[in-house]
């Protein structure tokens, strides 16, 4: 079962997630910001977890900006060559 809510949808495939993000980014007035509170890196330096607050701004039915505050946790994995890649990102609304 797929849960659908807000500007994003919980999806199973990476392709669908990318398409959902592209649709969200195409919405005039859409904006998302993250404010990290803490980052914890594994002893071997290959995995990192960050958490903090986020805010998604979307237009309300009248076209005015509507801010949706929330919290997030992201797990990052260090790739060969040293670049970090998001492995898991989970967020929820503060309400």
């Amino acid at each position: 079962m797929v849960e659908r809510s807000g500007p994003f949808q919980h999806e199973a495939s990476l392709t669908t997630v990318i398409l959902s993000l592209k649709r969200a980014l195409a919405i005039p007035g859409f904006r998302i910001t993250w404010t990290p509170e803490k980052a914890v890196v594994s002893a071997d330096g290959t995995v990192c977890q960050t958490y903090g607050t986020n805010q998604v701004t979307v237009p309300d039915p009248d076209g005015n900006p509507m801010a949706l505050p929330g919290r997030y946790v992201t797990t990052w994995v260090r790739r060969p060559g040293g670049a970090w890649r998001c492995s898991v990102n989970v967020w929820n609304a503060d309400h």
Side-chain angles (χ1 to χ4, degrees), residues 7-35:
F8 294 103
Q9 301 172 2
H10 302 278
E11 302 288 353
S13 77
L14 179 59
T15 301
T16 305
V17 171
I18 290 170
L19 290 174
S20 294
L21 286 171
K22 284 183 178 183
R23 282 194 305 267
L25 291 170
I27 298 170
F30 175 87
R31 182 176 171 190
I32 186 166
T33 59
W34 294 268
T35 304

Side-chain angles (χ1 to χ4, degrees), residues 6-94:
F8 294 103
Q9 301 172 2
H10 302 278
E11 302 288 353
S13 77
L14 179 59
T15 301
T16 305
V17 171
I18 290 170
L19 290 174
S20 294
L21 286 171
K22 284 183 178 183
R23 282 194 305 267
L25 291 170
I27 298 170
F30 175 87
R31 182 176 171 190
I32 186 166
T33 59
W34 294 268
T35 304
E37 293 175 7
K38 188 168 186 176
V40 179
V41 180
S42 65
D44 66 358
T46 61
V47 179
C48 176
Q49 196 166 59
T50 59
Y51 64 86
T53 59
N54 64 355
Q55 181 168 294
V56 177
T57 303
V58 294
D60 69 12
D62 296 323
N64 300 309
M66 177 175 60
L68 306 168
R71 300 199 51 79
Y72 76 91
V73 176
T74 303
T75 300
W76 302 88
V77 176
R78 188 171 290 225
R79 308 285 292 195
W84 289 97
R85 182 171 182 155
C86 176
S87 173
V88 178
N89 180 265
V90 180
W91 65 277
N92 64 287
D94 274 348

